[in-house]
Each structure stands twice: as C-alpha cells, then as structure tokens.
C-alpha cells in the first residue's frame, strides 16, 4: 500500500525558512516524480511544484507564486522528498500535501504551515 | 499565468446526472485530471488522462473532453458524492494548475 507522510509543518514568522519532509513507502520511490500541493484554510488546491525522476535529470518546476523561494529535492536512497521554503509570507499559510507524480495519484495527509508574526 | 475555470457550484437531486466542467486554453493538448475532496479529507483522484478511471472509483464517474473543455460526469449521483471537485492540468512548460473547485450538492 502506498504511504506518504508529510512532516515539518510549524508556526513561523514572515521571512523565515522551513523544510518539510515526505517519507514514502509502498512503491519504488525512484521511479516516480513527486509533487507538493497546498491548500490555504477554506480555499482550493494550489499546485506548488514537482521534481522529476533522476532518469529525467531530477529537474524541478514551480508555480510562479513560489518560484525562487521554494526548492524541492529528493533522496532516492531514503525514499524521501523535501520542500525547502524560504522567505515565507503570510500567504504561504496552508496545509502542504506531499503527492506522488506530477498529476497526483496518491496523497499524504498533509502538514500545516502557519506563517504569522 | 495559465488558468482552469470551473463553476463554483453544481446542485442535483439524488439519482440525477451531475456534470462539472473545466475550461482551459491548453486542454486540447494536455490531459485533464479530476479530484474529489470530501469535507475534512484528503483529495482523491477520480479520473486521470481525460477519461480513465482508477479501479477503486465507481463506474458512475466518467470523464470526457471536447476542445478547451473537460467534463466530469457523475451518472446517478448519490448523497455520498457530495464534495468539492477539482480539475487539474498542465501548462505548456510543465507547470501544474488546479481549477478553482466546484462544490457539488446532492439533495
């Protein structure tokens, strides 16, 4: 069974950084692109970005709203994906979901990030 | 930036057919995906690559596309289908985008 567990969410001040982790199991991690999707309280889904598999260079794409501030990485030896978030803004407050594939076919439970002074 | 447009709400009676649309300029060249999110729950994929249904999704869910519009159809909607539905696709440089979501009411 596919499992995705996101962690690392916290209350942080604007301008600070935070790193989220996504621990996975139940599938061959290195064979799949991984994405992050967020959902602000009471709002819709917002695609954050994704990382390709190593065979496709492990390159990344990001939504315009986070490009230059957020970085997605992966450790295929540990089956973990990461989301490094810098220069956080209050608008980044959301539940962050770790998902499998660029067009998600499996979702973790999400971790809450609150950006507030 | 690229956008996908959905109606904010759709309402049907139990047993009726619900249709939720998603419009986007790149849809003729890009697949559409549909997700169901019930209140307080994680989204679930119900349709992928325009019209394919995951094995665990009931047959009453189907997807179609024509030109710049994709459609999710729920034939014989049940009260348990009440949820928010989101379409998803990609732009021409492989960035993902979700539609704004449609609240389906079945009553």
């Amino acid at each position: 069974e596919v499992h995705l567990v996101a962690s690392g969410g916290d209350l942080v001040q604007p301008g600070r950084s935070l790193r989220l982790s996504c621990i996975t199991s139940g599938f061959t991690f290195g064979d799949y692109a991984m994405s992050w999707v967020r959902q602000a309280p009471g709002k819709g889904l917002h695609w954050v970005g994704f990382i390709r598999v190593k065979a496709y260079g492990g390159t990344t794409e990001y939504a315009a709203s986070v490009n230059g501030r957020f970085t997605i990485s992966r450790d295929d030896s540990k089956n973990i994906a990461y989301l490094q978030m810098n220069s956080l803004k209050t608008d980044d407050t959301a539940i962050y979901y770790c998902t499998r594939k660029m067009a998600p076919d499996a979702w973790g439970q999400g971790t809450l990030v609150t950006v507030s002074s | 930036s690229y956008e996908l447009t959905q109606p904010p709400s759709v309402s049907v009676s139990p047993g009726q057919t619900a249709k939720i649309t998603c419009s986007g300029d790149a849809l003729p060249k890009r697949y559409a995906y549909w997700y169901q999110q019930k209140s307080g729950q994680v989204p679930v994929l119900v349709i992928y690559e325009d019209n394919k249904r995951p094995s665990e999704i009931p047959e009453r869910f189907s997807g179609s596309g024509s030109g710049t519009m994709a459609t999710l159809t729920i034939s014989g909607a049940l009260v348990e289908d009440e949820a928010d539905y989101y379409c998803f696709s990609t732009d021409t440089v492989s960035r993902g985008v979700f539609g704004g979501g449609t609240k389906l009411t079945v009553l």
Side-chain angles (χ1 to χ4, degrees), chain B residues 12-83:
Chain B
V12 298
S13 299
Q16 288 189 328
T17 295
K19 289 184 180 289
I20 299 173
T21 58
C22 173
S23 65
D25 290 342
L27 285 178
K29 302 178 181 178
R30 295 286 187 270
Y31 285 127
Y33 300 76
W34 291 93
Y35 297 88
Q36 175 195 67
Q37 186 179 32
K38 296 183 178 180
S39 181
Q41 297 186 19
V42 176
V44 172
L45 177 67
V46 294
I47 294 291
Y48 66 100
E49 294 179 0
D50 292 342
N51 54 20
K52 298 180 176 65
R53 188 182 61 249
S55 58
E56 65 274 19
I57 300 301
E59 291 185 6
R60 63 181 179 274
F61 288 86
S62 63
S64 61
S66 178
T68 59
M69 185 167 289
T71 302
L72 173 69
T73 301
I74 308 172
S75 303
L78 304 178
V79 173
E80 67 194 51
D81 298 329
E82 198 163 275

Side-chain angles (χ1 to χ4, degrees), chain A residues 39 44 47 62 102-104 107, chain B residues 33 35 37 42 86 90 94-96:
Chain A
Q39 187 168 33
W47 184 84
Y62 300 96
M102 197 277 188
W107 299 63
Chain B
Y33 300 76
Y35 297 88
Q37 186 179 32
V42 176
Y86 297 89
T90 56
S94 298
R95 286 187 296 250

